[in-house]
Amino acid sequence: MDRMLVLTAQVAIAHGHRVEVTEQVDPLTDEPVVLALVDLDTGIRYRRAEEPGGDFSRWIGRVLECTVTIGGVGARTTLLVDPIGPGATGAKIALRGADAAADAAKAEADRWGGADRPPVEEPERFW
């Protein structure tokens, strides 16, 4: 599954280059935030000025598209990256989706009944 990364900087990475992405999940939005990006083919490292704290994850991907927005108020880069291997952030997102699906299934089961009724007692068996 391709990942869209939006960075508030001008980061030009060529199509096909392998990148190592370091991410951390924002506690307020539960969305991954890019802390650092390394172009593995050129060795150029891009990172935030502040030092990261807490848990972070790393994954490797291949750049499919790179769009750099110049001019205006802020610089912005949009990267479309195809993850090469499994990443911890991807797993966290998948688990969050699975938890939401399980909660929805429980709510639907409760809505259709069965949770508010006592179980039916089995009659005694005589042999």
Side-chain angles (χ1 to χ4, degrees), residues 21-112:
V21 181
T22 304
E23 292 180 323
Q24 184 176 37
V25 176
D26 185 4
L28 300 175
T29 62
D30 280 341
E31 294 294 322
V33 175
V34 177
L35 299 175
L37 187 68
V38 179
D39 185 343
L40 296 174
D41 294 333
T42 62
I44 299 174
R45 300 175 183 273
Y46 304 93
R47 67 178 189 91
R48 292 181 176 265
E50 64 271 2
E51 290 296 321
D55 295 335
F56 56 88
S57 63
R58 284 192 175 101
W59 56 275
I60 296 176
R62 188 167 304 281
V63 175
L64 300 176
E65 292 179 13
C66 178
T67 304
V68 179
T69 305
I70 57 175
V73 177
R76 186 174 68 134
T77 301
T78 305
L79 291 171
L80 183 62
V81 180
D82 178 26
I84 295 172
T89 303
K92 288 177 186 177
I93 291 171
L95 286 176
R96 197 174 333 130
D99 288 340
D103 290 342
K106 288 177 187 175
E108 190 67 18
D110 291 343
R111 188 173 75 90
W112 283 98

